[in-house]
Every structure is written in structure tokens, then in C-alpha cells.
Amino acid sequence: MFCFLFSSRTSLYMEPMRAVQLVEQGNPGGFQIVDLPRPALANDEVLVQVKACGLNRLDLWAEEAELPVKIKLPRILGSEIAGQIVELGEDVDNWRIGERVAVQSNLFCGLCEYCLSGEESICLYGELLGVDRDGGFAEFVAVPARALVRMPESVDYTSSAALTLAGSTAMHMLTSRTEVRSASWVLVIAGASGVGTYAVQIARQLGAHVIATGSTDAKREFARRIGAEFVVDSTDPQWPAHVREITQKRGVDLIVEHVGGDTFEKCFQCLTRSGCIVTCGASAGTKVQINLWPFFVKQHQLVGSYGRNRADLEVTLDWAAKGRIKPVIHQTFPLDRTPDAFAALRDRSVLGKIVITP
């Protein structure tokens, strides 16, 4: 259901902003395009004019009511934001109006024991931008100043919006939660996805041999183009055996997993001894089984990874500025075509990232 509403200005002193609100959850959900007052700022917040905002699987889960948290509707989704500061809260003194910024999507308190140790991704009081509070599918968004990272001059807004969630998620998985050694074997599940796109590139930059999975010829060829040395067909029930053939029956050292369900269970068949699976998602199902005997006999490791720390986002943008990773953008959509962007991602034919440009 798509419902398009345009309200009049609410104040002579406050210019309205356009925004896309989720008003009804479902598959597909219901959206409306509205004019709203610009967000009021708390003392520690800044107002960012949104120049680009990436669309992610997280947004689809929010639309479909598949997240483990309840979303208060109406809600402006969108968490992968790049933009320009246009207003500062009273207590903000380390930022200036006009600065180009990327926004960390997992908002953090900055005061709990985890934040103080640099582990903002597991903040005790964390919030998801675009889920727990309004996000970036709008012309303006209010965010805590501590969630900002300066954009390198050589990185444009659209590229940043394609990197700041998916790219930094992959960076967190491969450099913070696990270690990629030179000449090791890394298997990237769904290499043409947002996280997969960057996991392939990061692992290659770290010196690994990379195998990727893909469900179509187009996705497998795309994974090759961005750096995968080998690809396997994930629709083939025997794909784990093909992975082992590629590695001469040894298996891989590390698997970047973000699908869950049956795919997650099959990943254990691909691991070498002391191999590790790092997982950050469960789009195909959260309930899985593990055969414990080979798990402990082969000393396998299973590592959870959630979001990113501020340092991960800074490194991701730095790598992009230096050309070590490249944003891969499938298509950009204007703000008023946000429902069409959701439909494209839901269709599962996207290669790389979709970005909304208000």
C-alpha cells in the first residue's frame, strides 16, 4: 500500500522538509510522502542535511516487521547517511556548519563500559538510526554529534552512503571481530550483496584467497568482477563440496556469513580445522542447528558481529579515499521513489547497493 500525502507548512519560521514515512508494516509495507517540520535538536545533536542514504536489508526487515524490536509508526527509515551539517546543538563545539559527514547508524551513549573501551557496537543503551528513531529517508535528520565521522574530500556523498553501513559492517567483521591472514582462504556468502561486496574487497586487500557464493549467473559474475577468485552456485545443494574441491579438500579458514538458516548450517561443512565463521545476519532464518561433535573435534569457532565501532567507519572511509575498496552502486533513486527502491531490493536482483538521494 502506497499512500502519498503532502501537508502544508506548520510554521512561518520553520521550513518544512520532505520525508518518507513507513505507516504500515507488511510485505510490502505502506509508505507516505509528507512535509514535516525539521527535527528539533537536543543540546548534543546536530542537524544534517541528507545528501544520500543507503538502503539496506535492515530497512526491509523493518518494513516487514521482521526485526526483534517493535517499531513505533510512523517511522522514517534509513540508516546509512551522508550529508552536511546545517545546525548545531548548544553543547556541540567540535563540529562546524558546512562540514561533510557520514553518520554511524548504531547510535551509542558514549558513557557505558563498552563505549569507553571503543566497543560502541555493543553499547548498553544503543539505538538503531531509522529503527528506534527517525532516519535518513528525509531531507534532514537530527543525530548525536558523537555519531559523526568526517568524510574524506575524495569520497562523495553517494559513495559514502553506499559504504557507511554495509562497508563498515564488513570491516568490523574482518578486522575487529576476526583476523584475515595473508594467503588464507575466505568464503564470502552472497558476494553480490551489500556486506558481501565489501567483504570480498577487504579480504582480497588483506591478502586472502576469496571464494564467493551467488544464486544467479549475474551475481556470480559480479562477485568475480569485484575480486572473488572463485565462485560457487548457492542454489546447488552440493555447493559446500565445491568449496572443498577448490581448496583441495582442506576447507576455508574464515567464512563471512550473514544469511542464516540452512546456509549457516552448511557453512560448517566448508571449514578447515580451527576455521571460523563470523556472522552478522539471518535473512533466511534465525533458528539453526549445530552438530557439536565436529564443532569441538575440529576446534571450529563461531563469532557474532554486530554493527560497527566508530574506528571501523573511519577505516572504511579512509580505505575508500585511498582506492583500497570501491563503492558498488546498483542504482540511485530520488526520495519520492523510495517505495520503488524497496521493491527493487525485495526482488533480490540488486548487485551492490541502492542509494536514495533526497
Side-chain angles (χ1 to χ4, degrees):
M1 179 189 76
F2 300 149
C3 176
F4 299 93
L5 302 175
F6 295 88
S7 61
S8 60
R9 295 184 181 183
T10 58
S11 169
L12 294 175
Y13 304 99
M14 180 71 74
E15 290 289 333
M17 69 171 188
R18 284 192 314 152
V20 177
Q21 293 179 320
L22 177 68
V23 294
E24 181 179 348
Q25 291 177 302
N27 189 6
F31 294 91
Q32 66 180 16
I33 299 178
V34 295
D35 282 356
L36 299 172
R38 296 182 186 181
L41 297 182
N43 290 346
D44 64 343
E45 293 181 337
V46 302
L47 187 66
V48 174
Q49 183 179 7
V50 180
K51 299 292 188 178
C53 184
L55 178 65
N56 291 278
R57 183 66 54 180
L58 175 68
D59 299 303
L60 282 189
W61 291 337
E63 177 196 25
E64 298 167 359
E66 292 295 330
L67 290 173
V69 295
K70 187 174 182 179
I71 298 178
K72 182 179 179 181
L73 301 179
R75 172 67 72 221
I76 301 171
L77 304 179
S79 53
E80 198 166 18
I81 299 167
Q84 187 174 39
I85 297 174
V86 294
E87 186 179 344
L88 304 174
E90 290 184 5
D91 295 339
V92 177
D93 57 10
N94 57 337
W95 293 94
R96 297 292 179 265
I97 290 175
E99 287 193 276
R100 300 165 67 250
V101 294
V103 182
Q104 185 165 331
S105 59
N106 52 295
L107 304 179
F108 54 95
C109 72
L111 297 173
C112 73
E113 60 179 296
Y114 300 104
C115 288
L116 293 175
S117 65
E119 295 289 347
E120 300 97 349
S121 68
I122 49 175
C123 171
L124 288 173
Y125 308 102
E127 292 182 313
L128 285 174
L129 188 59
V131 174
D132 298 307
R133 57 186 285 171
D134 284 339
F137 295 148
E139 292 179 316
F140 297 90
V141 63
V143 294
R146 59 183 170 272
L148 302 180
V149 171
R150 288 180 174 86
M151 287 173 50
E153 288 187 9
S154 60
V155 178
D156 61 42
Y157 291 115
T158 303
S159 297
S160 177
L163 284 162
T164 53
L165 188 149
S168 62
T169 295
M171 187 68 72
H172 186 62
M173 296 173 81
L174 290 169
T175 64
S176 178
R177 299 296 295 142
T178 60
E179 179 184 3
V180 177
R181 296 175 181 173
S182 180
S184 62
W185 284 93
V186 174
L187 171 63
V188 177
I189 302 300
S193 65
V195 170
T197 294
Y198 299 114
V200 168
Q201 296 184 66
I202 293 167
R204 284 303 304 274
Q205 282 290 315
L206 294 172
H209 300 292
V210 176
I211 306 170
T213 70
S215 59
T216 66
D217 288 340
K219 291 180 178 180
R220 291 189 289 274
E221 178 56 32
F222 176 82
R224 285 191 184 95
R225 291 203 308 269
I226 61 173
E229 297 172 86
F230 304 91
V231 295
V232 296
D233 183 355
S234 59
T235 67
D236 182 348
Q238 299 303 313
W239 67 264
H242 299 318
V243 171
R244 298 198 73 89
E245 288 173 8
I246 292 169
T247 61
Q248 299 181 340
K249 298 184 179 181
R250 174 184 179 275
V252 299
D253 299 280
L254 177 65
I255 301 176
V256 178
E257 202 285 323
H258 49 101
V259 174
D262 179 65
T263 297
F264 174 87
E265 295 177 18
K266 286 185 173 181
C267 282
F268 284 94
Q269 302 172 32
C270 304
L271 283 179
T272 188
R273 295 175 183 271
S274 296
C276 176
I277 297 173
V278 58
T279 181
C280 72
S283 57
T286 59
K287 305 294 184 181
V288 296
Q289 292 184 328
I290 298 177
N291 185 341
L292 283 178
W293 180 264
F295 181 74
F296 63 72
V297 167
K298 296 182 179 180
Q299 295 188 168
H300 288 161
Q301 301 172 64
L302 176 60
V303 176
S305 184
Y306 180 68
R308 80 281 312 137
N309 298 326
R310 182 187 177 88
D312 300 311
L313 180 51
E314 291 174 335
V315 170
T316 300
L317 292 175
D318 180 64
W319 278 33
K322 294 175 179 175
R324 297 188 66 184
I325 54 174
K326 299 182 183 299
V328 184
I329 300 167
H330 179 86
Q331 189 174 356
T332 61
F333 286 82
L335 185 64
D336 60 4
R337 289 191 59 203
T338 297
D340 296 331
F342 272 76
L345 187 59
R346 195 182 305 113
D347 187 51
R348 302 183 66 86
S349 60
V350 171
L351 304 177
K353 291 287 298 181
I354 286 178
V355 177
I356 307 298
T357 53

